[in-house]
Amino acid sequence: MAVRYYTDDCNYRLPQKRMTTTWLRDVAAAEGYTLGDVNYIFCSAQRLFEMNRQFLGHDYYTDIITFDYSDLKGSGIVAGDIFIDVETVADNATQYGATRLEEMRRVVVHGVLHLCGQKDKTPRANAQMHRKEDKYLKFWQK
């Protein structure tokens, strides 16, 4: 079981991959799960836009799409492919007053939280997702 990092149609390199992987394992454990095979694919805005249209039927840009292969009720192992649009993450960092790396970490942990079963489609679920992101971003700083 491993966390792997790839690029597709961009040149982004996530810094501190080993520390990030350890952090994500801790996040999954804190949520009551074991981190399994998770692939992060960093890509361009256009690539993720096309995927959003093809797989989800959405005609808009997004910063992340998570394909969940987890077995939450059986083994408790979370697994999946997490596609992240590095251009939209950079734009969001500017909009929210964060550094690009801080915003990227937020989106990276957002993907794992989705794999752990956290939703974000309703206002209440979205607020809970943001609280969890904030909580786990503090883990990184320790």
Side-chain angles (χ1 to χ4, degrees), residues 3-139:
V3 178
R4 294 180 186 89
Y5 304 93
Y6 302 98
T7 59
D8 180 9
D9 196 35
C10 77
N11 295 320
Y12 183 78
R13 295 180 57 91
L14 182 71
Q16 300 174 302
K17 289 183 184 89
R18 286 186 189 152
M19 285 179 63
T20 301
T21 298
T22 300
W23 173 57
L24 295 172
R25 287 185 205 288
D26 292 345
V27 168
E31 290 291 310
Y33 300 102
T34 301
L35 195 65
D37 289 326
V38 176
N39 297 306
Y40 281 93
I41 303 94
F42 301 99
C43 60
S44 68
Q46 187 59 39
R47 175 73 174 114
L48 204 60
F49 175 75
E50 291 166 3
M51 291 179 68
N52 206 15
R53 288 178 71 189
Q54 178 182 359
F55 296 107
L56 302 176
H58 300 157
D59 195 26
Y60 53 82
Y61 290 90
T62 186
D63 54 358
I64 185 170
I65 295 176
T66 303
F67 294 96
D68 189 349
Y69 314 128
S70 302
D71 181 15
L72 300 183
K73 294 184 180 172
S75 65
I77 295 175
V78 296
D81 294 328
I82 300 170
F83 289 82
I84 298 175
D85 164 4
V86 299
E87 296 167 53
T88 298
V89 169
D91 291 345
N92 289 346
T94 300
Q95 180 179 346
Y96 301 133
T99 68
R100 288 180 180 193
L101 184 55
E102 288 168 342
E103 186 63 17
M104 182 58 75
R105 286 189 183 131
R106 177 176 297 278
V107 175
V108 165
V109 78
H110 182 98
V112 163
L113 289 170
H114 271 310
L115 296 179
C116 292
Q118 178 62 51
K119 307 294 183 202
D120 63 358
K121 295 301 180 198
T122 67
R124 184 175 184 182
N126 191 48
Q128 184 177 21
M129 173 68 88
H130 284 295
R131 283 192 300 274
K132 286 185 177 192
E133 290 167 358
D134 290 342
K135 171 185 172 181
Y136 293 123
L137 284 167
K138 289 177 186 172
F139 280 24

